[in-house]
Amino acid sequence: MTDRISSELHSFLVRMAYTPEGIEHDTVHGMEHLLHLLEPEDEEAVIRYYGLFGADRMSLDEIAHSRGMSAEDMMAAIDRCIRRIAVTPEWQMIKQKI
């Protein structure tokens, strides 16, 4: 993640995964809806990569293997997903609340 917008979302998702009790329910709910903007397999990959919403965290290699991709291609796909979400007005609204 090379740009600031994606980096902010990445940092928030890490925080949400590791300290979910510190994130308001409405914010978590909003993130669930934002992730639904992705294709189902991409949504699942992002959820598993970060370990969101109580899902078991999977390594990049595990996710890539399950999708028949290289780890590098999987990371690029996750980066694209984060960027896609990070530029939405919905993320900008959530970001203002956190």
Side-chain angles (χ1 to χ4, degrees), residues 49-88:
Y49 180 73
Y50 288 99
L52 301 173
F53 316 121
D56 290 333
R57 188 173 188 282
M58 291 175 67
S59 72
L60 185 60
D61 287 333
E62 290 171 318
I63 299 167
H65 179 72
S66 73
R67 301 231 354 228
M69 301 172 77
S70 70
E72 294 81 16
D73 288 344
M74 188 71 251
M75 190 73 251
I78 291 172
D79 284 347
R80 282 190 301 274
C81 291
I82 296 304
R83 176 69 180 158
R84 180 173 174 203
I85 293 169
V87 298
T88 64

Side-chain angles (χ1 to χ4, degrees), residues 18-65:
Y18 285 97
T19 57
E21 65 280 350
I23 309 294
E24 291 185 24
H25 175 74
D26 288 348
T27 302
V28 173
H29 188 70
M31 287 308 304
E32 286 177 313
H33 282 284
L34 270 178
L35 290 174
H36 288 320
L37 295 174
L38 303 173
E39 295 296 321
E41 60 274 1
D42 289 336
E43 178 183 7
E44 183 67 19
V46 170
I47 289 170
R48 292 296 181 175
Y49 180 73
Y50 288 99
L52 301 173
F53 316 121
D56 290 333
R57 188 173 188 282
M58 291 175 67
S59 72
L60 185 60
D61 287 333
E62 290 171 318
I63 299 167
H65 179 72

